[in-house]
Amino acid sequence: MSQKESNQLNRRKFLGLSALGLTGLTVLPSWVIDGVKIAPSDRVTMGFIGLGQQGMNDFASFSSVPGLQVAACCDVDTMKTERFKRRVEEWQKSKNVAARCDKYERYEELLERKDIDAVEVCTPDHWHALQTIHACQAGKDVYVQKPLSFTITEAQTMVRVANDNKRVVQVGSQQRSSAEFQKAIELVQAGAIGHIDKIYAKVGEPPKPLDLPEEAIPGNLNFNLWMGPLNDPKIHYHPDLCPPISLDPMEKEKLWGAWRWYRETGNGFTADWGAHMFDIAQAAIGMDGSGPSEIIPKGYNGQDYLTFKYQSGVVMTEQPYLEDMPNAQGIKFVGDKGWIEVARGYLACSDSSLVPEKLAGRRPRNLTPEERKKMFEEMQKAQAKGGGSFEISSPHMENFIDCVRSREKTIAPIEVGASTAALCCLGNMATELQRPVRWNPATESFGKDKEAWEHRLYHYNYRGSYKL
């Protein structure tokens, strides 16, 4: 059989499976969850693209949302697709729903499924743009993990395509759905601490050059497809980039994908945690959909910290928000009448009466190695049961599914994700250029700064036939 005939046969087989999938899911009985009956017509059917540690965590959150079904999954690692399929089908059986989750290696085939209403994009950052754009063009609503994009141009294109196709998009900046951060934003915007002069937002270091040694690619991983649009010849396989798992016996990833820490494959802590902390800071000062006008890198003319200056006069620095906890991620808003500190599970204010007791939480502290080990072990045990991670946020997923039904804007819409992603890119751009970068957030332009216009974090030339 020729390759062409084989492809045609596979195509016919795929279309047949799609039809079966559509029939199988539409005849499912209504669910009853917490006494609430979910009719088939109200059900939202999802496909998941990217099935690593974060994808598994996100499914655990989505699985608690009433009226959700999962029809398909996709990853370039066959072990991870099989792991996800097993987990989903166990969940389906527990809900007395027919167990079926089809597996794909290429996301384009998943997007052709007519029975899928929405997808999650939980792949490495360099794939977010193409997969989100193609999903929107295929008529799917999208939950895309943060940061929204790898470059500024990608973010701009994603916004345009999502709006042109009238798609609902939620960016995985789940702190937007957390009560302590919502209260911090409310207090700042209500003037509780007066005029904001400074913001300390601790996120971490920018990316470093790739320094992992090359290793043999395992047979279960399509690393060429994992690379996708990445075009840097220095990129090669190392298990830290695509953390391996085992199915029998079941063993999870032992670390988060290290692609995020390297300049060739990610945008470092600047984007990884910046998509959370910078995002909340911008929301509080009314800069959603906008951004800073000048970005000054750490070390420039003695500058102690990466600095973002806004036209309003607010200055945000990437520096510790707690003096005795230099590496703790969080935010401190400093106004002329007081201050507010906020991090995950913690909210404090110079006027303690403004913080509800249920939101105050515990002040972050330095953990001993033994405490860190115990915390990690407990998290792994909980994850093995389908939950228990600091990256799980059911309210954020429920907001997305509610908006898929109502067609309203999500709490973290694509326009907000784009402005936050641009801010993170601008921070790394100034760091790499080792000088200030001026940015007009209204026109999204650099003026006459040719170096900035040509920087890879503004526009990235994709590999081979990949095109934005």
Side-chain angles (χ1 to χ4, degrees):
M1 182 184 296
S2 70
Q3 182 66 43
K4 181 177 180 181
E5 291 171 331
S6 176
N7 288 341
Q8 290 174 340
L9 179 60
N10 289 337
R11 172 69 176 163
R12 289 196 296 273
K13 181 180 178 183
F14 161 68
L15 290 174
L17 286 174
S18 295
L20 286 173
L22 178 62
T23 303
L25 288 171
T26 54
V27 298
L28 291 174
S30 298
W31 291 1
V32 177
I33 301 176
D34 296 331
V36 179
K37 188 175 182 180
I38 307 297
S41 59
D42 291 330
R43 188 169 299 136
V44 174
T45 302
M46 285 190 68
F48 283 73
I49 304 170
L51 311 175
Q53 189 167 206
Q54 187 62 56
M56 295 294 290
N57 290 346
D58 286 355
F59 167 70
S61 292
F62 273 112
S63 68
S64 69
V65 179
L68 181 78
Q69 176 59 294
V70 178
C73 61
C74 173
D75 199 279
V76 296
D77 185 327
T78 57
M79 282 194 183
K80 290 177 181 176
T81 50
E82 178 60 25
R83 174 181 66 175
F84 191 87
K85 175 183 172 70
R86 292 182 188 182
R87 177 71 186 89
V88 168
E89 293 184 349
E90 287 174 5
W91 166 72
Q92 290 169 331
K93 290 176 183 177
S94 74
K95 299 295 182 182
N96 296 317
V97 175
R100 178 169 180 176
C101 181
D102 295 330
K103 300 185 296 183
Y104 299 98
E105 182 182 60
R106 295 184 178 275
Y107 72 91
E108 295 93 340
E109 293 184 345
L110 183 151
L111 293 180
E112 291 190 44
R113 292 276 295 261
K114 301 301 182 184
D115 56 329
I116 291 177
D117 305 303
V119 298
E120 177 180 34
V121 173
C122 195
T123 47
D125 299 351
H126 66 271
W127 262 117
H128 286 185
L130 289 179
Q131 291 169 343
T132 298
I133 287 168
H134 294 157
C136 290
Q137 291 172 333
K140 316 300 183 190
D141 297 322
V142 184
Y143 184 104
V144 54
Q145 263 301 339
K146 59 82 203 169
L148 178 68
S149 65
F150 193 43
T151 72
I152 295 173
T153 301
E154 286 179 337
Q156 294 168 336
T157 307
M158 293 164 81
V159 170
R160 176 176 56 79
V161 173
N163 289 331
D164 286 350
N165 288 275
K166 297 179 172 58
R167 292 297 95 201
V168 170
V169 179
Q170 176 87 298
V171 181
S173 299
Q174 76 269 18
Q175 290 180 173
R176 295 248 172 178
S177 295
S178 296
E180 66 271 28
F181 289 99
Q182 291 177 345
K183 187 62 177 181
I185 292 171
E186 175 191 326
L187 290 172
V188 169
Q189 294 186 344
I193 58 172
H195 175 76
I196 302 299
D197 299 308
K198 299 177 183 178
I199 303 173
Y200 305 145
K202 182 61 182 177
V203 302
E205 296 300 311
K208 58 185 178 181
L210 182 65
D211 59 359
L212 296 172
E214 185 171 5
E215 294 192 17
I217 302 171
N220 55 285
L221 175 66
N222 186 336
F223 187 68
N224 183 60
L225 195 54
W226 181 91
M227 287 267 296
L230 289 178
N231 69 4
D232 195 311
K234 295 191 291 296
I235 302 172
H236 49 250
Y237 172 76
H238 185 279
D240 284 6
L241 296 178
C242 316
I245 66 167
S246 171
L247 293 176
D248 302 304
M250 181 65 75
E251 292 184 4
K252 297 172 60 65
E253 298 90 339
K254 292 182 171 57
L255 74 162
W256 293 98
W259 47 265
R260 66 199 72 208
W261 314 133
Y262 299 104
R263 188 175 295 176
E264 294 81 0
T265 55
N267 277 320
F269 283 99
T270 309
D272 191 54
W273 275 93
H276 289 307
M277 300 306 173
F278 292 155
D279 181 69
I280 295 297
Q282 288 219 136
I285 61 173
M287 285 291 108
D288 274 343
S290 186
S293 57
E294 185 178 15
I295 305 89
I296 305 171
K298 178 181 178 180
Y300 181 80
N301 285 349
Q303 191 81 21
D304 291 329
Y305 306 103
L306 174 63
T307 299
F308 301 89
K309 292 185 175 182
Y310 293 83
Q311 291 176 339
S312 64
V314 175
V315 176
M316 178 168 67
T317 50
E318 193 289 309
Q319 73 177 86
Y321 80 108
L322 298 173
E323 292 183 2
D324 59 335
M325 289 284 291
N327 295 317
Q329 282 93 359
I331 311 167
K332 183 170 187 174
F333 298 95
V334 181
D336 58 9
K337 295 180 181 178
W339 53 264
I340 292 170
E341 295 172 347
V342 63
R344 293 183 180 181
Y346 168 68
L347 176 63
C349 181
S350 52
D351 181 354
S352 60
S353 68
L354 296 175
V355 179
E357 185 176 348
K358 64 180 180 179
L359 296 182
R362 291 191 303 175
R363 190 176 188 275
R365 62 188 181 89
N366 286 309
L367 298 177
T368 66
E370 291 76 19
E371 288 173 324
R372 287 187 180 278
K373 181 180 179 181
K374 183 179 180 181
M375 183 178 69
F376 182 76
E377 289 173 348
E378 289 176 350
M379 185 184 76
Q380 291 290 75
K381 289 177 182 178
Q383 284 180 327
K385 297 178 181 178
S389 166
F390 68 92
E391 285 293 345
I392 285 180
S393 178
S394 297
H396 206 56
M397 280 66 175
E398 187 165 0
N399 173 254
F400 171 62
I401 298 301
D402 286 346
C403 291
V404 168
R405 293 191 179 105
S406 69
R407 311 314 295 169
E408 295 178 358
K409 284 283 188 182
T410 62
I411 197 170
I414 193 165
E415 295 85 356
V416 168
S419 61
T420 301
L423 182 147
C424 298
C425 288
L426 291 167
N428 282 336
M429 188 183 297
T431 297
E432 292 179 20
L433 292 175
Q434 298 183 323
R435 62 166 176 81
V437 170
R438 294 188 180 276
W439 171 251
N440 186 327
T443 59
E444 298 183 321
S445 62
F446 297 104
K448 297 181 180 180
D449 190 340
K450 184 178 179 182
E451 272 190 312
W453 283 115
E454 294 177 350
H455 196 278
R456 64 179 182 82
L457 292 178
Y458 177 72
H459 177 71
Y460 185 82
N461 292 317
Y462 286 170
R463 179 173 67 128
S465 61
Y466 291 97
K467 296 185 184 304
L468 183 62

